[in-house]
Amino acid sequence: MFGIRNHAAMAHEVRVLKSDVDADKLPIDGAAKASEAGKVGELLNIGGGASRKLVLDLTPGRYVIVCNIAGHYQLGMRVALEVK
Ligand SMILES: [Cu+2]
């Protein structure tokens, strides 16, 4: 389970991608969004100050977690996760 708290004022989102690509190397499309290939779950429109939870049954492997509102991935809203 992911416990998610948005400490910012604006809305963000969480998308979980199963990917062997490094967290900062996902391809970017023409709409300034990262590729969502391998997406296994998401939590959208997390309002400023909101707390939410996301329950996923993840298989072992490498994942990248991103906020994919246009431009946010490029600003650093991404992190790698390895499930063993
Ligand atoms: Cu964001």
Side-chain angles (χ1 to χ4, degrees):
M1 185 195 87
F2 297 91
I4 296 151
R5 175 137 189 238
N6 181 359
H7 292 274
M10 71 176 295
H12 291 283
E13 61 185 33
V14 168
R15 297 182 193 246
V16 181
L17 317 172
K18 192 167 197 296
S19 174
D20 286 320
V21 178
D22 288 345
D24 61 347
K25 299 285 193 299
L26 295 178
I28 306 297
D29 70 15
K33 295 186 172 198
S35 167
E36 295 184 5
K39 185 169 66 183
V40 294
E42 63 187 10
L43 200 52
L44 305 180
N45 197 28
I46 305 162
S51 294
R52 306 267 296 275
K53 69 179 180 182
L54 176 62
V55 177
L56 296 173
D57 192 8
L58 299 177
T59 58
R62 296 176 67 201
Y63 294 81
V64 180
I65 301 172
V66 305
C67 174
N68 214 14
I69 295 172
H72 289 207
Y73 170 81
Q74 297 91 316
L75 289 169
M77 294 180 208
R78 60 198 182 218
V79 68
L81 171 72
E82 184 171 2
V83 175
K84 297 189 175 183

